[in-house]
Amino acid sequence: GKRLAFTALDKLYIMDLPGGAPKRLSDAPGLEFHPAWSPDGQWVAFTSWTEAELGHLWKTRVTGGKPVRLTQAPGMYQQPVFSPDGQRVVAIRGSAPAFAEETSRGGADLVWVSAAGGVTTVIAPSAGASNLHFVKGNDRIFASAGGRGLISMRWDGTDIKEHVQISVPTPGGAGGGGGGGSANASWIRMAPDGDQALAVVGSDLYVATVPLVGGTTPNVTCGATPNFPCRRLTEIGGAFPAWSWDSKKVHYSMGNAHAIFDLDRAKAVDDSIRIATRNRPARDTTARRDSAGPPAPPDRPIEPGDSARANAPAPQTRAANAYKPLEFRINVQATRDIPKGTAVLRGARVVTMRGDEVIENADIVVTNNRIVGIGARGQVQIPTGAQVIDVTGKTITPGFVDTHSHLRVPQPIHRGEVWSFAANLAYGVTTTRDPQTGSTDIFTYEDMIEAGEIMGPRGLSTGPGVFSGENFRNLEHARQVLKRYSDYYGTGTIKQYVAGNREQRQWVIQAAREQKLMPTTEGSLDLEMNLTEAIDGYSGHEHTWPSFPFQSDLITFFAKSGIVYTPTVLVAYGGPWSENYWYQHTNVHGDQKVRRFIPHGELDGKALRRGSGGQAGWFHEDEYIMKYVAEQVGDLLTAGGKAGVGSHGQFQGLGYHWELWSMAWDKNKVSPRMALRMATQMGAEAIGRGKDVGSIEVGKMADLVVLDQNPLEDIRNTNTIRYVMKNGRMYDGNTLDEIYPRKKKASFYWQQGDPAVVEGMGGPGQPDSGRR
């Protein structure tokens, strides 16, 4: 209870609680994950991953010194934990080759290894079990097991016992009359004393009494009317929960904060509030009973939204003077990657995105990572010593912005080289916004990119979305939940995904405005809902509107609302996904640049065989709806509206261009200039970064794409990429070798032994890059 072990930037740290300074604990090679204390507090076990040595288990002294590698054979190790006597470390082990080759991210076996190191022993197939742990005076291994709840087993994997299942009613359930169900715990951990369990349900944490009964596994129902003693610990969620060894406290984290929940103290505060409430004089509720239906419960006033949730059991709430856990922030500093030097890109045609400006034979001056000069050649002051980069005959545009980019990063073990990042950067995408990540892993990757530890576009993700499972009770509850993003994650943006009825969605938008968050939405094939979201002020709309064509009133309405439309035509509603068209009409599998940046397993699975049924298979050209979306987008832009280009992560890198070309299918509706504006300036404004990126102007970040051919003549020339400059670093568009300010050859793990890479490759478009 005196020190905290954690990872940041995929490195291991410890700090004294609560106010100590974080310090690095290990110098093991590669990336470090999943720290676990030894029972005596003298060692921390952890896992690692490097592209050369793959994954291993380690331990290191808290006083420093050289880490000790425990495992002999590599694996994809996760979630280590010491046995109570400190003699063994148990963990989950997946296949190292499968993880290395991007074919598996899961765990195959439960294993143990001596705490002194040695041969790894298999306990049992994992069969979905995770979160291995122990209780006092018990030699069994406990684990979460999905639908089986909390289980335990012997060291040889036999005699499996099911101890408890935990669930929370969803709106309408538990006698609410709305026909609701319940949400089961995704993670359960027995307290060290063996009488309570800590559970994760949705985003929130609960502590429940574990009944000692025979026969059927008991199911503890938490929520408003628990069937056994149960306490909700969090209002806005929690991650990485853990018990203190005395079973009296629960630790958990949220973004940049760590919290300690004292169960005994919370009960004492609850008891004092209960006594005070019981002794409070009765209130006269006659007037409210006459005007507003049944009287409110004595512990809270009637609030907006009571009628909306009348039949839904609200989760336990805390009074304003109720117990609050101890919370503190953890501040780890890192050096931002800012290159040093000055360069002049000379001789190209520059499409600046300042209105319709095109500068022929221009000079662009870049100092460090910012643009400091732009104009016709000879009209811009050139600093002494600047490096001149000849781009005569080329066309330069701002870096492309992907407003809906699911990058699908490796997790929960991270990697220092990510092919989706490399592919997007090589195809000119310098800024991405993932509108719904499913987990918080993306934040570490984004930090690593900012620190220059990983090559890739700058990332501006929302983090996990805001869904109906939040069960918003009122405006104040929405404010609390959105602090997850504004205060703890620091995302600056959220995605609201059908988070309830209109009143609840209005609470979200009001809380977002107050906390300076940009909220985007999910289309969900519901045009009436989409209209109300635009009326209420949501800044973005993801996926196609589910109707074609739009009449002029709807076009005018959406244009004047200011909402930015990102249709993701590659996965469009209303017709076959357009990605199938591009697989069908281009030799994407034979494109050498694609083969350089997409692992062969991924490429083969997408491009060689599309299957049958659903969105896969073959479709007649007349079935595709690109022309209808282009008409809709063109009408919106002509009316003064805004649109962004979002590839949805369907085919990393080249897929961005497919999306752009699909949106500009009818050049009479969407001209090449309009298409470029969506890909740059409008996209940057859509994600709140228009002051830094999206156009070529003095003071903006040096994000540029150098093209061999002019996209104003043919929008499909966006894929004639010669160079990409991101954050002031210039890369060869075919290899991602850095050519300025450093000379640094790029090499990625998925390219090793690949003849297409070893033999080299020519310029863009070989052979058949889809530019038909």
Side-chain angles (χ1 to χ4, degrees), residues 222-308:
C222 296
T225 56
N227 60 350
F228 287 93
C230 183
R231 173 183 289 277
R232 180 177 177 173
L233 307 186
T234 56
E235 282 290 306
I236 66 171
F240 314 115
W243 283 102
S244 64
W245 191 238
D246 62 6
S247 300
K248 294 184 177 181
K249 297 182 178 67
V250 170
H251 291 252
Y252 61 91
S253 298
M254 174 60 69
N256 56 27
H258 189 77
I260 305 173
F261 196 104
D262 187 323
L263 295 169
D264 288 345
R265 176 61 183 157
K267 183 178 184 303
V269 171
D270 286 351
D271 289 344
S272 66
I273 292 174
R274 189 176 299 110
I275 292 171
T277 301
R278 188 165 53 242
N279 294 333
R280 185 186 305 155
R283 293 179 297 166
D284 183 1
T285 61
T286 303
R288 280 167 51 189
R289 185 179 301 115
D290 291 341
S291 60
D299 61 338
R300 66 168 178 82
I302 289 179
E303 301 165 333
D306 276 355
S307 59

Side-chain angles (χ1 to χ4, degrees), residues 704-736:
L704 310 168
V705 182
V706 181
L707 304 171
D708 283 333
Q709 299 181 41
N710 186 356
L712 293 178
E713 296 176 353
D714 182 350
I715 192 58
R716 297 196 189 182
N717 287 335
T718 58
N719 191 31
T720 62
I721 296 171
R722 177 59 58 184
Y723 305 117
V724 177
M725 177 175 276
K726 180 251 173 175
N727 196 44
R729 296 194 185 278
M730 181 170 276
Y731 303 93
D732 185 300
N734 289 316
T735 64
L736 284 187

Side-chain angles (χ1 to χ4, degrees), residues 66-83:
K66 188 174 180 60
V68 178
R69 200 177 84 180
L70 303 181
T71 47
Q72 298 175 352
M76 200 268 276
Y77 293 96
Q78 304 176 57
Q79 304 174 30
V81 62
F82 280 91
S83 60

